[in-house]
Structure formats: structure tokens, C-alpha cells
Amino acid sequence: MRGLKKRATAEDDLLQYRLGYPGKVDNVRVKKNLDFYANLIPFTPNGDYIDNVHRSWFGRYDLLEKSHTFIQWLFPIREPGLNREAQELQLHEAEVIKHSPILLNRFLTSYQLMLDFYGVHLVDAATGEIQRNPRWRQQYSNLISHKHNNLRITRILKCLGEIGLEHLKKPFLLFFLHEILVTKELKELKESCINFWVGTLRNDHDRLEVEHFVQQYAGQARPAGRVGRFGR
């Protein structure tokens, strides 16, 4: 019963996200997310500037795992998070980001930082194609054993959709579903992926395509084969 209630709550949350949070008012006086991505302020508490994060945090897996205050700043969404010093993303901020190549490039670098932490890398930013990286086995193990990363991934996917990078989400989901349902390397993430991540797709056609993939493989025992390259 608790599981059904949790799923219903998640479905309602994801529907509100896909609809753009009807009735939620934009606060034009709030702009910390813009200032942070413009490299004008550090994330707080006890944080650093975005360019410094990008220069020095790649490969620092212990730091990325144990720090719990950066993720709300790197991937702001239009919902409150656990870091009270971070602000919810505002619509006017998202519009500026969508039309700024500099800010979008910084967001893309943040996405690559977290992909590397999760054991994969971005092959093509235009298509969203991703593949395993050389340290995938170690980082997959970390992803399985530290479940708070499931919530982080939901946040990341929601953020991508807010700032004009929706196209990155379907390749991400197809890759991870392949690792969950086909190779079984990440089978422990099945519930989070199907019940939380897939629902972040705002494009109905993309969501139906991914749901079809789930229906095709979820109930079948498939031998682990060569890892596919998704996003082309």
C-alpha cells in the first residue's frame, strides 16, 4: 500500500513538472542561479565558483559523493531542495540561460561532471549519446550503494528540461535502461528509473518510446551483450 501511495505521489509530482507547474509565480527579484552560473558568486554553504568546480572537481569522486550542498546549485529546479541557501529556479532565469551559449556550456560541463561520476561520458552533445567510461565498474558500484544519487539524477533530468537541454534526456534514459534491463549491471536502479526518471520526459513521443523500451525488456531475461550507443 505504501508503495502504491509513493508511486501515485511521484506521478503527480512528475505531471506538475511536465505541465510547467501551473499557477507557480515567477519571482523576478530572485537571481542567485544566474549569478552562480555567471561565475559571480560561489555556491553556499562552504562552496566555490562554478568555473573552479569545473576545473577541480572532475574525478574527485569522494568529494562528489560526500558533499550534499552543491547539487542544488549545479542543477536548480523549480522546486525546493534540502539546501536552504540554494534558490528555486525562476522562469526568467531559465529563459536567460536558454539563450546564453556561455551559460548553457557551463550547464553542459556540469552535466559531464556528473556523468563522469556515474561512470559514463558524453560522446556527442548534439545528440546526447553517452557511453561507459573507463572507470564505469567502480562508479556503477558506487551508484548502486549510495541511493541518494537516484534523487540527484531526478533533479538533473528535471533541470535539463527547464534550461533547453531536453534532448539530452532520452539518450540518457535509454542508455541507463539498457544497463538496467539488458546488461543487468544496474538492475538495482530499475524502480527509480521507471517510476521517477522516465516521467521527466516532457516530449510525449519521447516518453512513449522509452516506455515501449521498458515494456519490451522489463519482463524478459536477456543475455548481457555489447553495450549499445544511444542517442544517434
Side-chain angles (χ1 to χ4, degrees):
M1 192 71 178
R2 285 183 61 187
L4 290 174
K5 186 175 181 179
K6 180 180 179 182
R7 183 177 299 178
T9 301
E11 289 175 355
D12 182 65
D13 170 77
L14 291 167
L15 179 61
Q16 293 300 305
Y17 166 77
R18 293 197 301 271
L19 293 175
Y21 303 96
K24 199 172 185 70
V25 178
D26 185 46
N27 187 343
V28 296
R29 293 175 295 180
V30 171
K31 65 182 189 72
K32 276 189 177 181
N33 296 301
L34 276 181
D35 288 345
F36 173 63
Y37 263 92
N39 208 45
L40 297 176
I41 61 172
F43 75 81
T44 56
N46 306 315
D48 207 341
Y49 292 84
I50 186 64
D51 284 351
N52 290 339
V53 171
H54 289 162
R55 275 193 294 265
S56 63
W57 284 39
F58 271 90
R60 299 180 66 183
Y61 299 141
D62 284 345
L63 176 61
L64 288 165
E65 180 56 54
K66 294 175 182 177
S67 176
H68 299 287
T69 58
F70 74 92
I71 197 72
Q72 298 88 356
W73 288 86
L74 263 62
F75 299 97
I77 58 176
R78 297 180 62 208
E79 302 172 25
L82 295 178
N83 183 352
R84 294 184 179 181
E85 297 190 29
Q87 292 180 340
E88 294 180 35
L89 180 68
Q90 302 298 311
L91 283 176
H92 71 91
E93 294 181 302
E95 286 303 310
V96 172
I97 293 163
K98 287 177 185 178
H99 297 94
S100 170
I102 293 174
L103 298 182
L104 277 177
N105 186 62
R106 286 189 173 124
F107 269 97
L108 193 61
T109 303
S110 294
Y111 180 56
Q112 291 171 304
L113 172 71
M114 295 308 293
L115 288 180
D116 178 69
F117 176 56
Y118 296 137
V120 297
H121 71 99
L122 185 65
V123 177
D124 189 327
T127 65
E129 179 186 353
I130 60 176
Q131 291 181 336
R132 291 176 180 174
N133 70 23
R135 304 190 71 173
W136 69 271
R137 199 175 297 277
Q138 167 191 313
Q139 295 313 115
Y140 277 20
S141 177
N142 184 79
L143 186 53
I144 291 167
S145 61
H146 294 84
K147 297 187 182 302
H148 71 102
N149 283 296
N150 297 345
L151 298 175
R152 286 177 166 183
I153 290 173
T154 302
R155 169 177 282 273
I156 291 168
L157 293 172
K158 284 183 174 180
C159 178
L160 294 177
E162 298 287 9
I163 61 172
L165 297 175
E166 179 76 20
H167 73 282
L168 297 176
K169 290 156 69 169
K170 185 177 78 170
F172 176 96
L173 289 165
L174 287 175
F175 177 87
F176 273 87
L177 281 167
H178 187 271
E179 297 289 63
I180 291 165
L181 300 175
V182 182
T183 71
K184 311 290 187 182
E185 295 287 353
L186 291 172
K187 62 183 183 296
E188 294 85 353
L189 306 186
K190 179 179 176 181
E191 180 181 353
S192 288
C193 188
I194 293 175
N195 293 336
F196 296 92
W197 304 349
V198 172
T200 67
L201 285 166
R202 281 178 162 164
N203 183 290
D204 291 340
H205 181 270
D206 286 350
R207 197 168 62 257
L208 288 173
E209 181 181 342
V210 172
E211 288 173 352
H212 176 72
F213 185 95
V214 172
Q215 292 168 2
Q216 182 179 2
Y217 290 106
Q220 300 179 20
R222 287 287 300 271
R226 185 176 66 86
V227 177
R229 293 168 56 133
F230 296 104
R232 286 175 290 181

